[in-house]
Amino acid sequence: EVLAAAIQEHFVAMLGEASPVDGEPSFSTLINVLDRCSEQFLALGAYHQRLLEAFASLDATATVQQRIAVEFSRVIAAQLWHLQRKRQLASWADIGLLAGQVTNAVICTAIVWSTGHLPDAALGPAIRYAAGLVLLGAARGRTHADLEMLVTQAQSVIPKPTRPVNEVEQSLTQEN
């Protein structure tokens, strides 16, 4: 429980540093939040990797995990609500659900990074890529175009995984 409390305190402080402080919510603010999140992880790379491993594996941290995810989702939802109000996000999109999915994408990417399967240089682009893919289906107008560009740029930087994904890709290529 002491470890869980320390993890919660650390990640809540980190989230506070990644949250927008000033300015109106916007697409660029949303991307800045994602970028600050990856910068915070990288600031204490090895330490954050060990903390994320503990965070993801300890049963005692389940409540903490939920609190952090809910708080991060709130930060993301504020940005999404603004985009929806500006008609840059589909009116049918459930902001809370979409923010939760973006949060899941960011957390999963950070966990993959913490295991060493993603190099430090690819963490920021991988977070942008994962969040961007989630958002593309609901994005409209200029935001959709900006997301496509963001995802395409991020995709070019992220190293392709080695087996078994490449084997699957090769077999699909051979079938066509």
Side-chain angles (χ1 to χ4, degrees):
E1 287 185 36
V2 172
L3 180 58
I7 291 172
Q8 178 177 348
E9 182 179 320
H10 177 77
F11 281 112
V12 167
M14 190 179 113
L15 179 59
E17 291 175 24
S19 298
V21 213
D22 51 2
E24 188 174 322
S26 66
F27 175 74
S28 60
T29 304
L30 172 63
I31 300 310
N32 287 336
V33 168
L34 297 174
D35 288 347
R36 280 193 234 148
C37 186
S38 61
E39 289 165 8
Q40 290 296 316
F41 281 124
L42 293 171
L44 298 169
Y47 175 71
H48 278 127
Q49 286 176 324
R50 296 306 140 262
L51 214 53
L52 277 168
E53 284 179 36
F55 179 74
S57 64
L58 296 174
D59 290 338
T61 64
T63 303
V64 174
Q65 291 171 13
Q66 187 175 16
R67 284 186 201 138
I68 293 168
V70 165
E71 191 54 39
F72 189 69
S73 289
R74 283 187 189 139
V75 171
I76 298 298
Q79 307 307 313
L80 297 179
W81 182 81
H82 173 77
L83 290 172
Q84 193 174 51
R85 207 178 75 216
K86 297 283 187 182
R87 296 184 181 189
Q88 294 297 298
L89 201 62
S91 60
W92 54 258
D94 180 309
I95 297 299
L97 187 57
L98 187 56
Q101 292 303 307
V102 170
T103 299
N104 291 343
V106 170
I107 290 170
C108 288
T109 302
I111 289 171
V112 168
W113 167 76
S114 77
T115 64
H117 287 52
L118 189 62
D120 289 356
L123 177 61
I127 285 176
R128 283 176 161 219
Y129 185 75
L133 288 176
V134 169
L135 292 169
L136 267 172
R140 299 291 180 261
R142 182 72 193 152
T143 296
H144 191 275
D146 290 345
L147 274 170
E148 274 190 1
M149 188 169 44
L150 181 94
V151 166
T152 302
Q153 289 170 345
Q155 179 176 264
S156 71
V157 177
I158 302 168
K160 287 198 174 202
T162 54
R163 301 173 193 226
V165 176
N166 281 345
E167 292 171 3
V168 171
E169 189 175 278
Q170 287 173 357
S171 70
L172 290 173
T173 305
Q174 291 169 356
E175 289 175 11
N176 294 327

